[in-house]
Amino acid sequence: MPLAGERQVDLDAGAAVSEQPAPAQELGADAVRRVWAAVEASTALATKAAYRSDWARFERWCHEQGQASLPAHPLTVAAYVTEAAGEQRPPKVGESGSGTRWRYSPATLARWVSSINQFHTAAGLDAPGRAEVVRRALAGIRRGRATPPARRAPLLLEDIRQLLETLRLAFHQWPAGVIARRDAALLLLGFATAARRSELVGLTVGDVAVHRVDGLHITVRKSKTDQEARGTVKAVPYGRDPQTCPPCAYTRWRQLLDTAADLSPAEQRRPVMAALFQQAGDPGVDGHVCRVDLPAPTDPTAPLFPTVHKTGALSGRGMSGQAVNEVLARRAAAAGYTDAQIAKLGGHSLRSGFVTEAFRQGADAHAIMRQTGHRNPTILETYAREHAPLVGNAVTKLGL
């Protein structure tokens, strides 16, 4: 609840109208609502939810401290983040060691400041988090922690091969083969497109087009760096090895998707099982199956990677980003990875694996950015420095 004398601001459409100058007389109420609906659409739902949660926490703290939250003084914001920076988590049950476990990371504190700024600018006020005292407070917190960021370990091409080896054991089994086919396509397309996990699970059947020469043209309609959904096309070429050929994995998976289309889960069993076993008896030319003609999808809006029940039934609901993490963890465990290795894997491992493998194979930053969509080559240097430290390194010229 806002304190007495404070103005209440919400990021919902139309809520900020009262905080703005009155529109011209000829601008009707419907037009005003359309304007604020457009403003509302400029921010993703998840981002707005994070802003509101962060703002509610800041309001509670200000109320307890007897400080104004809107407008907030820069010193109030600096005191807020520095107090939170000193909080520690209690040790876990059975945890040994005396290492400090901070409750909030510097990144979380910086996000809080960003949320505070958003609510101030929405109310037509100066953003207190942009003041020098707040910037230096955050910089001091980061320097005091001096801990490297936790990064996902990359999955290189050899890692992908290992994971696929365990998948192949179930390719022609029922019902495990359905999930195995999906996971194989997920791994290879995720790796070859260098997609973020949100981009990967957001793909629909209609987003993939088979190109006679190039292989696959995959349209990513929206991404972290493309909130306006201008879209981009990523090409995935035909592979030399049928075991790691992304179009082959896509073809086998599409055949199962097409078979299950428009069928209820109860009706899918016989035809999908038959399609799965038919694939076992048709290795294709030189082991490849990617040159077959696929029909136009029945429903282009259907998710490319739906959830699959343990009975082999395909749903009409797409996988979540967390489900991608679980697939990688499950397949890595089956391939013999240790618990410590699995803990470092996640959906980003496919994207970072592409960048790392590309650097190791001699690709330059510009060529890598063509596929990843990065706008700044400096970011790619992080991958090269941490996961491909010998690439372009003079130490290899010493003749040791």
Side-chain angles (χ1 to χ4, degrees), residues 120-145:
H120 278 73
T121 55
L125 302 169
D126 291 336
R130 295 175 185 156
E132 188 67 16
V133 64
V134 180
R135 292 182 181 182
R136 293 202 175 195
L138 289 173
I141 293 168
R142 287 191 294 267
R143 184 172 182 178
R145 298 287 179 87

Side-chain angles (χ1 to χ4, degrees), residues 233-248:
V233 175
K234 297 189 176 186
V236 177
Y238 294 107
R240 289 171 294 185
D241 183 350
Q243 306 300 332
T244 56
C245 174
C248 279

Side-chain angles (χ1 to χ4, degrees), residues 35-397:
V35 169
W36 288 109
V39 172
E40 169 79 354
S42 68
T43 308
L45 290 175
T47 303
K48 285 195 287 285
Y51 284 160
R52 294 192 187 99
S53 175
D54 296 344
W55 178 253
R57 189 187 190 283
F58 180 62
E59 278 193 312
R60 289 194 299 270
W61 183 88
C62 287
H63 181 71
E64 295 168 356
Q65 301 297 321
Q67 300 292 326
S69 60
L70 193 71
H73 193 280
L75 282 174
T76 299
V77 178
Y80 174 62
V81 295
T82 52
E83 178 183 296
E87 295 186 30
Q88 298 181 16
R89 293 184 184 274
K92 295 181 180 179
V93 177
E95 184 179 45
S96 59
S98 57
T100 302
R101 300 181 67 249
W102 302 109
R103 184 179 294 276
Y104 304 111
S105 69
T108 297
L109 301 177
R111 193 197 71 207
W112 288 358
V113 172
S114 176
S115 298
I116 294 169
N117 288 343
Q118 288 291 332
F119 272 83
H120 278 73
T121 55
L125 302 169
D126 291 336
R130 295 175 185 156
E132 188 67 16
V133 64
V134 180
R135 292 182 181 182
R136 293 202 175 195
L138 289 173
I141 293 168
R142 287 191 294 267
R143 184 172 182 178
R145 298 287 179 87
T147 55
R151 301 188 189 279
R152 293 296 189 182
L155 283 170
L156 303 180
L157 180 56
E158 186 55 37
D159 297 312
I160 299 294
R161 291 184 188 277
Q162 291 180 20
L163 269 56
L164 290 173
E165 281 297 327
T166 62
L167 280 172
R168 290 192 193 96
L169 299 177
F171 270 4
H172 308 302
Q173 297 176 9
W174 180 266
V178 180
I179 301 176
R181 288 296 186 193
R182 183 203 63 186
D183 290 356
L186 183 80
L187 287 172
L188 287 170
L189 291 184
F191 180 77
T193 60
R196 299 177 179 87
R197 67 177 192 177
S198 59
E199 298 167 358
L200 200 55
V201 299
L203 292 175
T204 66
V205 177
D207 290 334
V208 184
V210 178
H211 191 276
R212 184 175 57 84
V213 177
D214 294 349
L216 303 177
H217 285 183
I218 300 178
T219 301
V220 178
R221 302 192 180 279
K222 188 175 182 180
S223 68
K224 178 181 177 181
T225 56
D226 181 19
Q227 293 296 319
E228 296 180 3
R230 290 184 295 269
T232 185
V233 175
K234 297 189 176 186
V236 177
Y238 294 107
R240 289 171 294 185
D241 183 350
Q243 306 300 332
T244 56
C245 174
C248 279
Y250 166 75
T251 298
R252 289 186 178 277
W253 175 234
R254 256 294 304 275
Q255 288 171 341
L256 297 187
L257 285 176
D258 290 347
T259 303
D262 297 330
L263 297 178
S264 68
E267 297 171 322
Q268 290 177 16
R269 180 182 176 87
R270 286 182 177 275
V272 173
M273 183 186 299
L276 189 71
F277 292 146
Q278 183 179 9
Q279 290 180 354
D282 181 18
V285 180
D286 297 328
H288 283 276
V289 296
C290 50
R291 296 291 182 173
V292 301
D293 292 329
L294 292 173
T298 304
D299 181 8
T301 65
L304 180 62
F305 297 113
T307 59
V308 180
H309 193 264
K310 62 182 179 180
T311 60
L314 285 74
S315 76
R317 178 170 52 87
M319 296 173 63
S320 66
Q322 179 57 33
V324 176
N325 292 355
E326 293 169 359
V327 167
L328 294 180
R330 183 171 65 252
R331 297 307 180 183
Y337 284 55
T338 66
D339 290 342
Q341 291 172 325
I342 294 172
K344 294 181 179 180
L345 296 178
H348 198 72
S349 295
L350 295 172
R351 181 172 168 85
S352 63
F354 171 91
V355 176
T356 305
E357 187 70 39
F359 269 126
R360 293 189 176 197
Q361 298 300 327
D364 59 32
H366 177 74
I368 294 173
M369 291 167 64
R370 285 283 302 274
Q371 192 75 333
T372 64
H374 282 103
R375 298 177 180 176
N376 188 346
T378 303
I379 299 176
L380 297 182
E381 289 302 319
T382 301
Y383 297 99
R385 183 172 60 252
E386 296 188 6
H387 304 306
L390 292 180
V391 174
N393 194 326
V395 71
T396 62
K397 307 296 183 181

